[in-house]
């Protein structure tokens, strides 16, 4: 990669402007969260819907939210997510970029093809970054999910994120913030690994299809071309990761939301866990 024009499409950690990286990255992440947050609210409500729930499609959920709460209803829990997710994202990106450099050095001696090397190195980095950020992300995820579904399908209502946190501590203590932590790791770590592996390898394949990267003397691709290739790689990565991890994400969300009603522990009452999973499949 370094010997070709494609080396100019990537910036390694040691050459990265850290201040711009964090400030711009946090800004972009916040903007994306604003745009995509309603989708998370709708998805979460569909995941916790029961057989008796009237709203069983995305369109019916949207109509129900707009009817009862208006547009603000699509942003329930948004403040909590931004407050906690920005630090989690900083941890994630730092671990991702630093691990990626080491991972590339690890796979280089095996002489794999360039897309394979990119997939392995990016996959390892993505999984490591996800593991590092879960300690912050899981409590925020739990609180935001409870706010997303409050008052929906019989779920309890809250007076903001602090009210959710107080009730969790009163009921389960600090351990309650890490309800479903194991499933979160099982969901997001493989998802992150698959996403970054697909993202890194798909870009290499696309560049090869465009005839780039085969000649060290060729002109560097334009910024618009780089953005288009990266965007296409992101779409491919997102679709691939979603297909693999959506079932686990549904189980995790239901576990985190419904556990106060089920009142079971995976270790002390495995038969109830099996019954619960059976109800999900039914």
């Amino acid at each position: 990669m370094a010997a070709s024009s494609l080396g100019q499409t990537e910036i390694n950690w040691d050459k990265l402007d850290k201040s711009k990286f964090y400030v711009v990255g946090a800004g972009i992440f916040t903007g994306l969260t604003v745009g995509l947050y309603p989708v998370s609210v709708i998805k979460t409500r569909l995941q916790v819907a029961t057989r008796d729930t009237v709203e069983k499609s995305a369109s019916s959920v949207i109509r129900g939210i707009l009817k009862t709460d208006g547009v603000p209803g699509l942003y329930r829990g948004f403040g909590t997510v931004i407050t906690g997710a920005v630090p989690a994202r900083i941890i994630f990106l730092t671990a991702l970029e630093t691990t990626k450099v080491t991972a590339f050095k690890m796979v280089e001696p095996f002489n794999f093809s360039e897309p394979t090397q990119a997939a392995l190195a990016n996959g390892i980095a993505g999984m490591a970054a996800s593991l590092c950020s879960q300690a912050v992300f899981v409590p925020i995820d739990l609180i935001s999910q409870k706010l997303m579904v409050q008052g929906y399908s019989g779920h309890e209502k809250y007076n903001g994120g602090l009210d959710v946190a107080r009730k969790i501590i009163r009921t389960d203590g600090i351990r309650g913030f890490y309800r479903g932590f194991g499933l979160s790791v099982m969901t997001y770590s493989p998802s992150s690994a698959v996403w970054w592996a697909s993202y890194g390898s798909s870009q290499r394949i696309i560049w090869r299809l465009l005839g780039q990267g085969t000649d060290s003397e060729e002109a560097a691709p334009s910024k618009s071309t780089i953005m288009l290739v990266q965007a296409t790689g992101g779409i491919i990565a997102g679709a691939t990761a979603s297909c693999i991890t959506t079932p686990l994400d549904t189980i995790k969300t239901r576990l985190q939301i419904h556990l106060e009603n089920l009142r079971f522990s995976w270790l002390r009452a495995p038969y109830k866990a099996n019954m619960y999973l059976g109800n999900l499949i039914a």
Side-chain angles (χ1 to χ4, degrees):
M1 175 68 79
S4 72
S5 63
L6 295 190
Q8 301 180 50
T9 68
E10 295 186 353
I11 302 177
N12 292 328
W13 177 252
D14 56 341
K15 298 179 181 178
L16 198 64
D17 185 327
K18 308 299 190 300
S19 58
K20 289 183 179 179
F21 177 69
Y22 288 123
V23 173
V24 174
I28 293 175
F29 172 71
T30 301
L32 288 173
T33 303
V34 171
L36 298 176
Y37 193 80
V39 178
S40 296
V41 174
I42 296 166
K43 175 182 72 71
T44 301
R45 290 202 171 198
L46 288 173
Q47 286 177 329
V48 302
T50 63
R51 294 178 180 178
D52 299 326
T53 302
V54 176
E55 301 166 352
K56 292 187 177 181
S57 66
S59 59
S60 62
V61 170
I62 295 173
R63 287 195 299 269
I65 292 174
L66 294 177
K67 182 178 180 180
T68 57
D69 301 306
V71 174
L74 294 172
Y75 287 90
R76 280 185 172 179
F78 179 77
T80 301
V81 167
I82 288 298
T83 301
V86 170
R89 181 59 57 174
I90 290 174
I91 294 172
F92 181 92
L93 292 174
T94 301
L96 175 74
E97 294 297 335
T98 53
T99 306
K100 191 188 299 182
V101 175
T102 303
F104 266 110
K105 292 179 180 178
M106 289 172 55
V107 301
E108 190 174 9
F110 294 98
N111 294 320
F112 294 124
S113 65
E114 192 172 305
T116 302
Q117 284 189 23
L120 290 173
N122 281 276
I124 293 171
M127 178 170 287
S130 180
L131 288 171
C132 292
S133 63
Q134 287 303 305
V136 176
F137 179 75
V138 170
I140 297 302
D141 190 38
L142 176 61
I143 293 173
S144 66
Q145 285 176 348
K146 286 182 174 292
L147 291 173
M148 287 178 186
V149 301
Q150 62 175 325
Y152 174 73
S153 189
H155 291 285
E156 184 178 357
K157 290 188 176 182
Y158 302 95
N159 294 317
L162 290 177
D163 184 39
V164 177
R166 282 193 295 267
K167 290 182 178 179
I168 291 175
I169 292 175
R170 186 170 61 245
T171 304
D172 300 311
I174 297 298
R175 185 174 58 180
F177 286 111
Y178 291 91
R179 181 179 299 159
F181 180 80
L183 276 177
S184 290
V185 171
M186 289 173 60
T187 300
Y188 292 119
S189 293
S191 174
S192 181
V194 171
W195 197 98
W196 285 101
S198 301
Y199 179 68
S201 60
S202 62
Q203 283 191 77
R204 267 67 173 189
I205 294 173
I206 293 171
W207 284 124
R208 294 301 181 188
L209 293 175
L210 293 177
Q212 291 281 352
T214 57
D215 185 358
S216 60
E217 300 298 326
E218 66 188 359
S222 65
K223 290 184 178 179
S224 59
T225 302
I226 293 173
M227 291 178 62
L228 181 60
V229 171
Q230 290 178 341
T232 303
I235 293 172
I236 294 172
T240 304
S242 296
C243 290
I244 293 175
T245 59
T246 294
L248 278 176
D249 184 50
T250 301
I251 295 173
K252 175 192 69 68
T253 300
R254 288 202 173 193
L255 174 64
Q256 290 177 322
I257 296 297
H258 287 306
L259 193 57
E260 66 270 17
N261 297 324
L262 297 173
R263 311 305 299 170
F264 70 80
S265 162
W266 289 94
L267 294 178
R268 289 185 294 177
Y271 65 97
K272 289 188 178 180
N274 291 334
M275 180 179 67
Y276 178 56
L277 294 177
N279 289 335
L280 288 179
I281 297 173

